[in-house]
Amino acid sequence: MQYSTKVMEHFANPHNVGEIPDADGVGYVGNPVCGDIMQLYIKVQDGVITDAKFKTFGCGAAIATSSMVTDMVKGKTIDEALKISNRAVAEALDGLPPVKMHCSVLAEEALASAIDDYYKKRVLPSPVKLKVGHEHEAD
Amino acid sequence: MQYSTKVMEHFANPHNVGEIPDADGVGYVGNPVCGDIMQLYIKVQDGVITDAKFKTFGCGAAIATSSMVTDMVKGKTIDEALKISNRAVAEALDGLPPVKMHCSVLAEEALASAIDDYYKKRVLPSPVKLKVGHEHEAD
Amino acid sequence: MRKVYFDHAATTQPDRRVVEAMLPYLEETFGNPSSIHDYGSAAKEAIEKARARVASLINAARPEEIYFTSSGAEADNFALKGIALGNQQKGKHIVTSQIEHHAVMHSAQTMEKWGFQVTYVPVDKYGVVDPADVARAITPQTTLVSIMHANSEVGTIQPIAEIARITRERGVLLHTDAVATVGIIPVDVKELGVDLLSLSGHAFYGPKGAGALYVHKGVRIVPFIDGGVQEGGRRAGTENVPAIVGLGVAAEIAKAEVPGRGAQLTPLRDRLARGLLERIDRVYLNGHPTQRLPSHVNVCVEYIEGESILLFLNMQGVAASSGSACTSRALKASHVLTAMGVDPALAQGSLLFSLGRGNTQEDVDYVLEVLPPIVERLRQMSPLYAARKDS
Amino acid sequence: MRKVYFDHAATTQPDRRVVEAMLPYLEETFGNPSSIHDYGSAAKEAIEKARARVASLINAARPEEIYFTSSGAEADNFALKGIALGNQQKGKHIVTSQIEHHAVMHSAQTMEKWGFQVTYVPVDKYGVVDPADVARAITPQTTLVSIMHANSEVGTIQPIAEIARITRERGVLLHTDAVATVGIIPVDVKELGVDLLSLSGHAFYGPKGAGALYVHKGVRIVPFIDGGVQEGGRRAGTENVPAIVGLGVAAEIAKAEVPGRGAQLTPLRDRLARGLLERIDRVYLNGHPTQRLPSHVNVCVEYIEGESILLFLNMQGVAASSGSACTSRALKASHVLTAMGVDPALAQGSLLFSLGRGNTQEDVDYVLEVLPPIVERLRQMSPLYAARKDS
Ligand SMILES: Cc1ncc(COP(=O)(O)O)c(C=O)c1O
Ligand SMILES: Cc1ncc(COP(=O)(O)O)c(C=O)c1O
């Protein structure tokens, strides 16, 4: 498989694996039939994401993008985090094989889903437009 | 080219090349468009073919079958000669590649044409049924 | 680190004798077999010798019944499209199964776009086609039935001889994709009763770049690659002489060695299968318990995904696959497991260990040692595993 | 006896560096490029490197525009059938010429059976297609024009860039069969302006078993060999890794050497052509006097037939051909010479000497020495020669 060294590093030793029991937002995207599920937990303080963790069922790229996106959001404001595109995640991993780009999309969506959950939990209008009817439809 | 040794011998040093100026019968079959022409001369004495010669325009197999058929008819009666089939010529050459079998047909036809000419010259009814409308139609 | 190659279903390492036989044809004896000079004749002779050897391996009556192709996939395309197009005045219906290799399946789908009807017969949970289903699927318009000899993912062997009795009675041609069996287990076209059979050199210690289609004499088939007069006018393109020579030698070696290969592989296969079931919970064996190749162990590991397991195995020196090599870069679950009724989520965790003649008991034991911790680690990362423990 | 190989149009001897580059992939690095382990990655990397090299040789913008095939013939079939079937919603008409290689011509004829319309544009007596004829042949239903870059029998080079201006203006795709030119003379897909281009490794000191089709990005083409996801899903079958590696190295070598090859071959070609005309009466040179390959000398020798000359030449150690290797075992006169208006009887006496980089002036002089007595001898046997002398 033509994964970059960076992808393989994050796959072999992923950062931020686990759950946050008292998370402020939890995202859950994908489904087992498609072969990828990401569960992403965020902790938010004063509009800033202070911690992020994930659990992922999926291929090497799915695990690596989960690891990378949780790294990237930490310390960012919610608004900044929402601007992290799937391309940015892929680029931070020195690229993904074309057939694996959907994993970076999933990572972006998992993050959006977690932020959406954060707003919902606080009964605030969510700025997140979740994609529906997509192959990896938000749960 | 998968010619037998026998074919190559007859091709490289063909027997009976030439013309018989006072031939008793001359056959001429094939046409240049098809890539093969055989001209076959016979000398007949008391119903026996005493000599045969040929000139051929054509591939290796055309030349080798000409050489072989002229060898085979010498000393044979007309009736015996008419029984020489194209298969017999091909077998005498230890076989021909499938795409070259038509050359042995041409040799059979050249012989038939020469015998037919022999009867015609003597104003006798010819026992030969020349094939017409064939790719190598008798001339 | 130990290196264990358990991906013989994807490709095999060419035999040293195969490679050595090829070498002169890579450089010295380089003529075009169609040329009518000594360079050409030498090449032509070499491919005719190879043709006879391949014919002999599968017990074909005549070497001319063997048409060389560039791969098993090309042989499959040739068989399906060549027969369907060549016999369409009789009808435009073909029958195949739901578990064929993509080369057959996608050829059939292409033919549907061309206006042909295709029936895809199902399989049971072991991956076996029921000959009665084939019999029911045949209509007066049917020209061809194509059922693979053994499935390359799960190793299940199909009842081809039984199916052949039906196709013969019904006057329908029978093709079998035998890429997974030729050179691995005994294959005899007369015993099987097939009209066409695909094989591929690299599947049995031969070279890449050479496969073949057996076409029984008299069968009406149109060329797939149009062009010159090579292969009796039925397959154009300058012949890949070195690869064809290599295929011939691989066939010769296989003829001698195949009878012994099962006896070597079966105990290893069974040790591996048993070990996996014992050491890892929630692991399921796929395929038929007895009607199976001696080489294949296909399992589903619940809660995790196949590729991630393979990547970790690779870091430990173990080469395996998640099923068909052709789909291992694709996204969807194996169509074979799906057809067998395996739950789609479970099918994502499929692993294929395909053994070959170089493998030893130490290889098996090494895999049994390194795999359980990998599975455990990935399960710890899996939301499905967590959810299952919660419930 | 001296050995002279003058049949480079049929095939060439692979370069030593090509063969050496292939060796590791025959045995050691045997993985399937689709496999996701180190064995697979090593193979995958090797073919991607080769792809970049082939792209560079023909100045393709992107390596992904190169699809590996098993031969030039397969590339031609892929181009014609893949484009015609992939774009049939636009129309079912294609334009080609009367002098194409059989791989193109017979593909076009097959497509006629499938209900496509094909226009075969003529050539002039030098074998040149008139771009105005192509322009006239294009209809609103036309999807593809396929005109070869240089004819492999007579060596005439076609005005592809001019034709490209027309096809681009008319919104029609342009394919060129460049098997006779890539690696022999400079070929640049951007300068030519083509959308698709076929090439073949064994034509330019590369291995048999590897060709390629260049497909400009965005062009709609359906797969020819259906199956797995190899070659971006556009060409199935396990890749012939060693041959592809060899093709890559041949491309790299050609990139460096092609600029010099013309200068080496042209004087030899001209010496041979001049010598034949001087030493044998009733010999006619075929092809264009200047717009021609540096390698080809094609002549017709009146009153005798080509194969018999070739057999005698072979006995003297000289390997030549009567035209396309694909037809040299067939019966009919060359369709190329016929399209050029050569008298059919004369066309039976066609000879092609195709020179390559190993050839020397001594080779040329040797042929000029041995050929005249052969011609004389066969003419003495020929009834046509006798008839001509009589008249
Ligand atoms: C112009 C041309 N096209 C196509 C081909 C077929 O290529 P291959 O021999 O690789 O099948 C040839 C073969 O020499 C050729 O000369
Ligand atoms: C059953 C089956 N059919 C066809 C093929 C395709 O053969 P090839 O890899 O030679 O293209 C394979 C490949 O492994 C296979 O397993």
Side-chain angles (χ1 to χ4, degrees):
Chain A
M1 173 56 78
Q2 303 307 91
Y3 281 139
S4 68
T5 313
K6 200 70 163 273
V7 170
M8 286 310 293
E9 277 169 19
H10 275 266
F11 166 72
N13 293 296
H15 308 171
N16 317 311
V17 175
E19 299 173 18
I20 302 180
D22 58 344
D24 298 308
V26 183
Y28 189 97
V29 293
N31 69 63
V33 176
C34 295
D36 298 295
I37 298 173
M38 283 186 200
Q39 199 160 17
L40 197 151
Y41 301 80
I42 50 172
K43 196 82 196 135
V44 183
Q45 220 163 357
D46 302 329
V48 173
I49 297 173
T50 54
D51 198 10
K53 287 203 183 298
F54 78 90
K55 283 217 162 176
T56 288
F57 163 90
C59 64
I63 290 169
T65 52
S66 304
S67 168
M68 178 53 80
V69 79
T70 45
D71 264 7
M72 286 169 82
V73 294
K74 281 199 257 179
K76 289 220 165 52
T77 64
I78 295 264
D79 283 355
E80 284 165 354
L82 278 174
K83 284 191 192 117
I84 297 173
S85 68
N86 76 303
R87 296 195 163 273
V89 178
E91 271 164 32
L93 288 165
D94 295 341
L96 286 172
V99 290
K100 295 297 187 182
M101 277 305 286
H102 73 282
C103 292
S104 65
V105 173
L106 208 65
E108 182 190 324
E109 289 173 7
L111 176 59
S113 166
I115 293 173
D116 185 60
D117 185 54
Y118 163 77
Y119 279 100
K120 294 225 172 89
K121 280 207 172 103
R122 310 183 85 205
V123 203
L124 288 171
S126 168
V128 179
K129 277 185 272 302
L130 294 179
K131 293 171 193 128
V132 198
H134 181 273
E135 195 199 313
H136 304 281
E137 134 188 356
D139 211 284
Chain B
M1 172 59 78
Q2 305 305 92
Y3 282 137
S4 70
T5 313
K6 202 69 163 272
V7 169
M8 286 309 293
E9 277 170 20
H10 275 265
F11 166 73
N13 294 295
H15 309 170
N16 317 310
V17 175
E19 301 173 16
I20 302 179
D22 58 342
D24 297 309
V26 183
Y28 188 98
V29 294
N31 69 63
V33 176
C34 293
D36 298 294
I37 298 171
M38 282 185 200
Q39 197 159 19
L40 197 151
Y41 302 79
I42 50 172
K43 196 81 198 136
V44 183
Q45 221 161 358
D46 303 330
V48 173
I49 297 174
T50 56
D51 200 7
K53 287 204 182 303
F54 79 90
K55 284 220 162 175
T56 288
F57 162 92
C59 64
I63 290 170
T65 53
S66 304
S67 168
M68 180 52 83
V69 80
T70 46
D71 264 7
M72 288 169 81
V73 294
K74 281 198 257 181
K76 290 223 164 52
T77 65
I78 295 267
D79 282 356
E80 285 165 354
L82 278 174
K83 284 193 192 116
I84 297 173
S85 67
N86 76 302
R87 296 195 163 273
V89 178
E91 272 164 30
L93 287 165
D94 295 341
L96 285 173
V99 291
K100 296 296 187 182
M101 278 305 286
H102 73 282
C103 292
S104 65
V105 173
L106 207 65
E108 181 190 324
E109 290 174 6
L111 176 60
S113 167
I115 293 172
D116 184 61
D117 183 55
Y118 163 78
Y119 279 101
K120 294 224 171 93
K121 279 207 171 102
R122 311 185 86 206
V123 203
L124 288 172
S126 168
V128 180
K129 277 185 272 301
L130 293 179
K131 290 167 195 133
V132 197
H134 182 272
E135 193 198 316
H136 303 279
E137 132 187 359
D139 209 284
Chain C
M1 189 174 54
R2 194 174 186 92
K3 284 267 184 193
V4 177
Y5 188 75
F6 270 1
D7 198 10
H8 291 85
T11 197
T12 59
Q13 180 167 37
D15 190 290
R16 168 62 48 95
R17 290 163 286 181
V18 166
V19 175
E20 260 157 26
M22 291 170 70
L23 295 180
Y25 295 93
L26 285 176
E27 188 171 4
E28 236 173 271
T29 311
F30 67 90
N32 186 319
S34 296
S35 298
I36 61 170
H37 44 61
D38 292 350
Y39 299 84
S41 301
K44 177 83 178 160
E45 253 169 55
I47 65 176
E48 293 316 319
K49 191 164 160 190
R51 201 184 308 281
R53 285 171 162 172
V54 172
S56 163
L57 175 63
I58 60 170
N59 197 26
R62 304 166 193 82
E64 315 87 74
E65 293 177 326
I66 304 298
Y67 296 89
F68 290 117
T69 65
S70 62
S71 64
E74 186 195 325
D76 285 341
N77 275 257
F78 185 11
L80 267 80
K81 296 173 182 173
I83 293 296
L85 292 171
N87 297 275
Q88 54 183 317
Q89 74 298 340
K90 184 192 163 193
K92 297 179 81 166
H93 179 242
I94 68 173
V95 175
T96 182
S97 84
Q98 292 177 0
I99 57 151
E100 297 300 311
H101 187 268
H102 280 165
V104 167
M105 199 162 90
H106 293 165
S107 288
Q109 287 166 355
T110 290
M111 280 151 42
E112 288 189 83
K113 291 197 195 118
W114 296 350
F116 285 78
Q117 304 287 318
V118 181
T119 304
Y120 301 88
V121 299
V123 292
D124 67 14
K125 66 176 174 174
Y126 300 121
V128 183
V129 169
D130 183 348
D133 284 334
V134 173
R136 265 189 297 275
I138 294 173
T139 75
Q141 275 66 51
T142 310
T143 55
L144 178 70
V145 170
S146 178
I147 306 286
M148 71 202 312
H149 189 200
N151 183 275
S152 43
E153 285 184 50
V154 298
T156 301
I157 297 171
Q158 305 297 334
I160 298 298
E162 263 181 81
I163 295 170
R165 275 190 287 279
I166 296 164
T167 53
R168 219 176 286 161
E169 196 185 297
R170 304 285 288 274
V172 171
L173 295 169
L174 177 60
H175 166 249
T176 194
D177 174 349
V179 171
T181 54
V182 169
I184 307 296
I185 60 173
V187 174
D188 179 320
V189 291
K190 284 178 202 144
E191 269 176 27
L192 290 175
V194 295
D195 302 291
L196 301 106
L197 176 145
S198 305
L199 61 91
S200 182
H202 74 90
F204 62 100
Y205 315 106
K208 292 177 179 61
L213 182 67
Y214 158 82
V215 183
H216 186 68
K217 197 182 165 175
V219 165
R220 197 181 151 73
I221 186 165
V222 296
F224 171 61
I225 302 187
D226 284 306
V229 298
Q230 296 94 347
E231 299 295 298
R234 280 178 162 176
R235 197 276 185 179
T238 297
E239 299 89 338
N240 187 350
V241 180
I244 290 171
V245 166
L247 172 59
V249 173
E252 175 121 314
I253 293 170
K255 204 177 150 93
E257 295 184 2
V258 156
R261 282 185 189 162
Q264 182 231 332
L265 292 180
T266 307
L268 294 182
R269 175 196 73 186
D270 293 344
R271 183 182 183 91
L272 178 60
R274 213 169 38 241
L276 291 172
L277 295 176
E278 278 168 17
R279 300 195 188 194
I280 308 175
D281 67 332
R282 302 249 172 188
V283 162
Y284 308 91
L285 206 57
N286 298 311
H288 196 277
T290 58
Q291 280 301 97
R292 57 189 295 105
L293 292 175
S295 44
H296 282 48
V297 176
N298 185 307
V299 292
C300 285
V301 184
E302 202 167 4
Y303 309 122
I304 56 180
E305 195 267 352
E307 188 203 279
S308 54
I309 310 176
L310 294 176
L311 290 171
F312 277 124
L313 278 173
N314 183 49
M315 291 180 206
Q316 305 279 352
V318 178
S321 131
S322 59
S324 160
C326 305
T327 51
S328 61
R329 284 170 193 274
L331 310 176
K332 283 192 282 183
S334 152
H335 67 286
V336 176
L337 296 179
T338 305
M340 287 162 63
V342 174
D343 173 76
L346 185 58
Q348 293 286 356
S350 76
L351 281 185
L352 168 59
F353 299 101
S354 47
L355 282 57
R357 59 178 196 185
N359 292 135
T360 61
Q361 189 172 311
E362 286 71 42
D363 291 340
V364 170
D365 293 345
Y366 180 70
V367 170
L368 289 174
E369 180 195 320
V370 300
L371 183 58
I374 292 172
V375 169
E376 184 51 28
R377 183 161 178 201
L378 283 165
R379 282 182 174 171
Q380 289 308 329
M381 252 186 254
S382 168
L384 298 176
Y385 194 59
R388 165 252 178 188
K389 284 199 301 188
D390 292 351
S391 68
Chain D
M1 189 175 51
R2 191 175 189 92
K3 284 265 183 193
V4 177
Y5 188 74
F6 271 0
D7 199 10
H8 291 85
T11 198
T12 59
Q13 180 168 37
D15 190 290
R16 167 62 49 93
R17 289 163 287 179
V18 165
V19 176
E20 260 158 26
M22 291 170 70
L23 295 179
Y25 296 93
L26 285 176
E27 187 170 5
E28 235 174 272
T29 311
F30 67 92
N32 186 319
S34 296
S35 297
I36 61 169
H37 44 60
D38 292 349
Y39 299 84
S41 301
K44 177 82 177 161
E45 251 167 58
I47 65 176
E48 293 316 319
K49 192 164 160 188
R51 201 185 307 281
R53 285 171 162 171
V54 173
S56 164
L57 175 63
I58 60 170
N59 197 26
R62 306 166 192 80
E64 316 88 74
E65 293 177 327
I66 304 298
Y67 296 88
F68 290 117
T69 65
S70 63
S71 65
E74 186 195 325
D76 285 340
N77 276 257
F78 184 10
L80 267 80
K81 297 172 183 173
I83 293 294
L85 293 171
N87 297 273
Q88 54 183 317
Q89 73 299 340
K90 183 192 163 192
K92 297 178 83 168
H93 178 244
I94 67 171
V95 176
T96 183
S97 84
Q98 292 177 0
I99 57 152
E100 297 299 310
H101 188 268
H102 280 164
V104 166
M105 199 162 90
H106 293 166
S107 288
Q109 288 166 356
T110 290
M111 279 151 42
E112 289 188 82
K113 291 196 195 117
W114 296 351
F116 285 78
Q117 304 288 316
V118 181
T119 304
Y120 300 88
V121 298
V123 292
D124 67 15
K125 65 176 173 174
Y126 299 121
V128 183
V129 169
D130 183 346
D133 284 335
V134 173
R136 265 188 298 275
I138 293 173
T139 75
Q141 274 67 52
T142 310
T143 54
L144 178 70
V145 170
S146 177
I147 306 287
M148 71 202 311
H149 189 200
N151 183 274
S152 44
E153 284 184 49
V154 298
T156 300
I157 298 172
Q158 304 298 335
I160 298 299
E162 262 181 81
I163 295 170
R165 275 190 287 279
I166 296 164
T167 53
R168 221 175 284 161
E169 196 186 299
R170 304 285 288 273
V172 171
L173 295 168
L174 176 59
H175 167 249
T176 193
D177 173 349
V179 171
T181 55
V182 168
I184 307 297
I185 60 172
V187 174
D188 179 321
V189 290
K190 284 179 203 143
E191 268 176 28
L192 290 175
V194 295
D195 302 291
L196 302 107
L197 178 146
S198 304
L199 61 91
S200 182
H202 73 90
F204 61 101
Y205 314 107
K208 292 178 180 58
L213 182 65
Y214 158 81
V215 183
H216 186 69
K217 196 181 167 177
V219 165
R220 198 182 151 73
I221 187 166
V222 297
F224 172 61
I225 302 186
D226 285 306
V229 297
Q230 296 94 347
E231 301 293 298
R234 280 177 161 177
R235 198 274 185 180
T238 297
E239 298 90 337
N240 187 349
V241 181
I244 289 171
V245 166
L247 172 57
V249 174
E252 173 121 314
I253 293 170
K255 203 177 150 89
E257 295 184 3
V258 156
R261 282 183 190 163
Q264 182 231 331
L265 293 179
T266 308
L268 294 181
R269 175 197 73 186
D270 293 344
R271 183 182 182 92
L272 178 60
R274 214 170 35 241
L276 292 172
L277 295 177
E278 277 168 17
R279 301 196 188 196
I280 308 174
D281 67 333
R282 301 250 171 189
V283 161
Y284 308 92
L285 206 57
N286 298 311
H288 196 278
T290 58
Q291 281 301 98
R292 57 191 294 105
L293 291 175
S295 45
H296 281 48
V297 176
N298 185 304
V299 292
C300 284
V301 184
E302 203 167 5
Y303 308 123
I304 56 180
E305 196 266 351
E307 188 203 280
S308 54
I309 310 176
L310 294 177
L311 290 170
F312 276 125
L313 278 174
N314 183 48
M315 291 179 206
Q316 304 281 349
V318 178
S321 131
S322 59
S324 159
C326 306
T327 51
S328 62
R329 284 170 193 275
L331 310 176
K332 282 192 282 182
S334 152
H335 68 287
V336 176
L337 296 178
T338 306
M340 287 163 61
V342 174
D343 173 77
L346 185 58
Q348 293 286 356
S350 75
L351 281 185
L352 168 58
F353 299 101
S354 47
L355 283 55
R357 59 178 195 185
N359 292 135
T360 60
Q361 188 172 309
E362 287 70 42
D363 291 341
V364 169
D365 293 345
Y366 180 70
V367 170
L368 289 174
E369 180 194 319
V370 300
L371 183 58
I374 292 171
V375 169
E376 184 51 30
R377 185 164 176 197
L378 283 165
R379 282 183 173 168
Q380 289 307 329
M381 253 186 251
S382 167
L384 297 177
Y385 193 60
R388 165 252 178 186
K389 284 197 302 188
D390 292 351
S391 69

